[in-house]
C-alpha cells in the first residue's frame, strides 16, 4: 500500500519543479536531470533524489534553461564545480581511456586465452592419435 | 608455470581491493584545486557589511563551510577552535543555508573559531564552490588560489599531514 503511494509522491515533487518551462525546455530538463548524478546519494540522479543538494541542482538546471543556456553550457557549469563525477556518462579523455577501453581489452584477453587453450588441446589430441601402422604391426605380432 | 597464473591474478586482485578499500567514494575530488577561489559577494554575520572573494587574498586562509544544523560541524568544531587559538590560523566561516539567529546562538554555545562569518543563506556560494555536504574546508594560499579541500570534518591528522605544510605562514 505504502509502496504503491511512493511513485505518486515522487511525481508530485517533480511536477512542482517544471512550472514555467515550455515543452522543449521541459524535455531537456528531464534529459539533463536524468543524466546528472546527485553527489550526496551517489547512486541516484538528481531527478530522483530527495536530497536538498539535488533540489538545488534541479533549480539551477531550470534557471539556466530559462536563461536560454544550451545543454552543453549547463553540464559545463556543473562539471566546473563538481567535476566529471556529476556526469553519469564519463567524458572521453586521456584519464578515462581505461574506463572506455577496459571492457574491450578484457574481451580481447579472454578471446586470446580461449584461442591458446583451443590450440593446446588440438596439439595434445595429435600426440594421442594412434599410429595405425604400428598398431597393425603390434596386432600381427601377437597373433 | 601454469600454476603461477592464478597466483598472479589473485595477487593483482588483492592489490586492487586494498587500494579500493582505502579510497572513500564519498570524497569526490574537487576540480577547483589549483584554481582561484570562486567569486562571491555576501554579507557578514556581525555587521551586515559585504565580504567578497577579493577579501580572501594576501595571506593563507582556511575557508570553512559550516552550518548550525550540521552534525559533522560539531564534530570538527574543537579542532577548528584549536587551530584558531593555538596555531593562529585565520578561518573564514561560510555559514551555509542557515539563519543569522541560529548561527549566532550556535557560536555563543560552542565558541567561535572564525575571524569572519559570511552568511551564505541561499547556498549560492556553496554551489559555486562545489560544496555538496557541510562541513567542507578549503585551503587558500596568499594569492587566493585553492590548494586543498578537506571533505567532511577537519581532523588534527589532516591538519598536521596535509594542511599545515601548505599554510607555513600560519605557524606560531
Amino acid at each position: 500500500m505504502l509502496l504503491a503511494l511512493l511513485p505518486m509522491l515522487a511525481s508530485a515533487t517533480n511536477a512542482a519543479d517544471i512550472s514555467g518551462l515550455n515543452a522543449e525546455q521541459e524535455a531537456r530538463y528531464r534529459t539533463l536531470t536524468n543524466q546528472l548524478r546527485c553527489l550526496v546519494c551517489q547512486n541516484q540522479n538528481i531527478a530522483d533524489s530527495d536530497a536538498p543538494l539535488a533540489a538545488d541542482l534541479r533549480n539551477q538546471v531550470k534557471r539556466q534553461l530559462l536563461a536560454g543556456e544550451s545543454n552543453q553550457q549547463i553540464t559545463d557549469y556543473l562539471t566546473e564545480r563538481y567535476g566529471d563525477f556529476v556526469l553519469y556518462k564519463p567524458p572521453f579523455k586521456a584519464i578515462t581511456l581505461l574506463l572506455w577501453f577496459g571492457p574491450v581489452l578484457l574481451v580481447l584477453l579472454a578471446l586470446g586465452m580461449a584461442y591458446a587453450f583451443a590450440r593446446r588441446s588440438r596439439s595434445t589430441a595429435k600426440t594421442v592419435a594412434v599410429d595405425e601402422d604400428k598398431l597393425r604391426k603390434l596386432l600381427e605380432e601377437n597373433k | 608455470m601454469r600454476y603461477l597464473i592464478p597466483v598472479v591474478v589473485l595477487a593483482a586482485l588483492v592489490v586492487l581491493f586494498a587500494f579500493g578499500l582505502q579510497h572513500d567514494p564519498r570524497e569526490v575530488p574537487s576540480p577547483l584545486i589549483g584554481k582561484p577561489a570562486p567569486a562571491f559577494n555576501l554579507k557578514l554575520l556581525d555587521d551586515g557589511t559585504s565580504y567578497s572573494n577579493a577579501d580572501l587574498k594576501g595571506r593563507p586562509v582556511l575557508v570553512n563551510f559550516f552550518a548550525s544544523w550540521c552534525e559533522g560541524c560539531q564534530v570538527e568544531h574543537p579542532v577548528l577552535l584549536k587551530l584558531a587559538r593555538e596555531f593562529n590560523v585565520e578561518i573564514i566561516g561560510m555559514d551555509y543555508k542557515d539563519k543569522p539567529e541560529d548561527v549566532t546562538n550556535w557560536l555563543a554555545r560552542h565558541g567561535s573559531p572564525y575571524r569572519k562569518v559570511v552568511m551564505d543563506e541561499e547556498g549560492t556560494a556553496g554551489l559555486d564552490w562545489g560544496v555538496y555536504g557541510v562541513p567542507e574546508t578549503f585551503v587558500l594560499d596568499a594569492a587566493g588560489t585553492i590548494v586543498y579541500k578537506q571533505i567532511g570534518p577537519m581532523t588534527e591528522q589532516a591538519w598536521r599531514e596535509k594542511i599545515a605544510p601548505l599554510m607555513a605562514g600560519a605557524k606560531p
Side-chain angles (χ1 to χ4, degrees):
Chain A
M1 180 61 197
L2 274 173
L3 281 175
L5 283 170
L6 278 176
M8 286 168 62
L9 286 172
S11 57
T13 50
N14 280 348
D17 285 331
I18 52 165
S19 57
L21 295 173
N22 65 33
E24 182 261 343
Q25 286 167 332
E26 192 185 316
R28 283 169 55 207
Y29 175 86
R30 289 198 194 286
T31 322
L32 283 166
T33 54
N34 275 297
Q35 286 171 351
L36 294 166
R37 185 200 302 265
C38 170
L39 288 103
V40 183
C41 28
Q42 299 185 344
N43 293 320
Q44 272 188 312
N45 57 30
I46 63 169
D48 290 338
S49 173
D50 284 331
L53 180 79
D56 285 354
L57 295 183
R58 283 197 299 267
N59 280 330
Q60 194 62 38
V61 169
K62 182 185 165 185
R63 208 172 304 142
Q64 297 198 14
L65 281 171
L66 289 171
E69 307 263 321
S70 70
N71 288 13
Q72 187 63 47
Q73 280 170 314
I74 295 172
T75 49
D76 284 351
Y77 173 91
L78 289 167
T79 45
E80 267 169 34
R81 284 157 182 77
Y82 294 100
D84 293 334
F85 195 73
V86 286
L87 307 173
Y88 264 118
K89 186 178 173 187
F92 196 75
K93 51 190 191 186
I95 198 169
T96 58
L97 276 183
L98 193 62
L99 192 64
W100 281 95
F101 288 117
V104 180
L105 285 178
L106 283 178
V107 168
L108 287 178
L109 191 70
L111 285 177
M113 281 168 75
Y115 179 70
F117 276 121
R119 254 179 63 147
R120 194 189 299 167
S121 54
R122 206 185 306 145
S123 55
T124 17
K126 246 176 218 162
T127 52
V128 199
V130 183
D131 188 329
E132 286 181 27
D133 291 342
K134 247 185 202 163
L135 183 64
R136 209 166 295 135
K137 226 177 265 172
L138 277 169
L139 286 171
E140 274 168 26
E141 279 169 15
N142 284 328
K143 261 182 194 170
Chain B
M1 176 60 200
R2 60 180 299 182
Y3 299 108
L4 209 62
I5 295 171
V7 177
V8 168
V9 170
L10 181 71
L13 281 177
V14 167
V15 169
L16 184 71
F17 292 161
F19 180 77
L21 281 172
Q22 285 178 13
H23 175 85
D24 183 357
R26 303 212 138 260
E27 284 187 17
V28 182
S30 173
L32 294 170
I33 308 287
K35 299 219 174 108
F40 66 89
N41 196 343
L42 295 164
K43 293 200 160 38
L44 289 176
L45 174 68
D46 294 344
D47 51 8
T49 53
S50 64
Y51 195 88
S52 76
N53 52 307
D55 296 311
L56 298 171
K57 286 184 187 168
R59 73 286 178 201
V61 290
L62 289 185
V63 178
N64 173 245
F65 281 81
F66 77 109
S68 66
W69 47 262
C70 146
E71 285 174 26
C73 302
Q74 286 190 32
V75 172
E76 71 169 2
H77 205 71
V79 181
L80 294 183
L81 284 171
K82 189 177 174 184
L83 296 190
R85 287 173 188 167
E86 288 179 29
F87 299 92
N88 202 28
V89 179
E90 178 170 352
I91 309 175
I92 304 297
M94 300 288 275
D95 188 24
Y96 179 74
K97 290 193 171 183
D98 208 353
K99 294 197 185 84
E101 55 270 27
D102 291 348
V103 71
T104 305
N105 288 336
W106 192 80
L107 289 172
R109 200 154 10 111
H110 298 284
S112 175
Y114 305 114
R115 292 282 169 90
K116 299 268 193 272
V117 175
V118 181
M119 293 305 299
D120 185 17
E121 285 187 71
E122 304 297 317
T124 47
L127 190 71
D128 282 337
W129 286 62
V131 170
Y132 60 91
V134 279
E136 288 184 15
T137 307
F138 295 83
V139 183
L140 269 61
D141 67 9
T145 305
I146 295 173
V147 288
Y148 183 74
K149 179 184 182 185
Q150 170 78 11
I151 295 164
M154 175 65 67
T155 60
E156 291 200 43
Q157 190 189 8
W159 163 256
R160 222 172 28 241
E161 291 173 8
K162 304 270 174 62
I163 300 167
L166 294 169
M167 294 184 87
K171 279 176 190 164

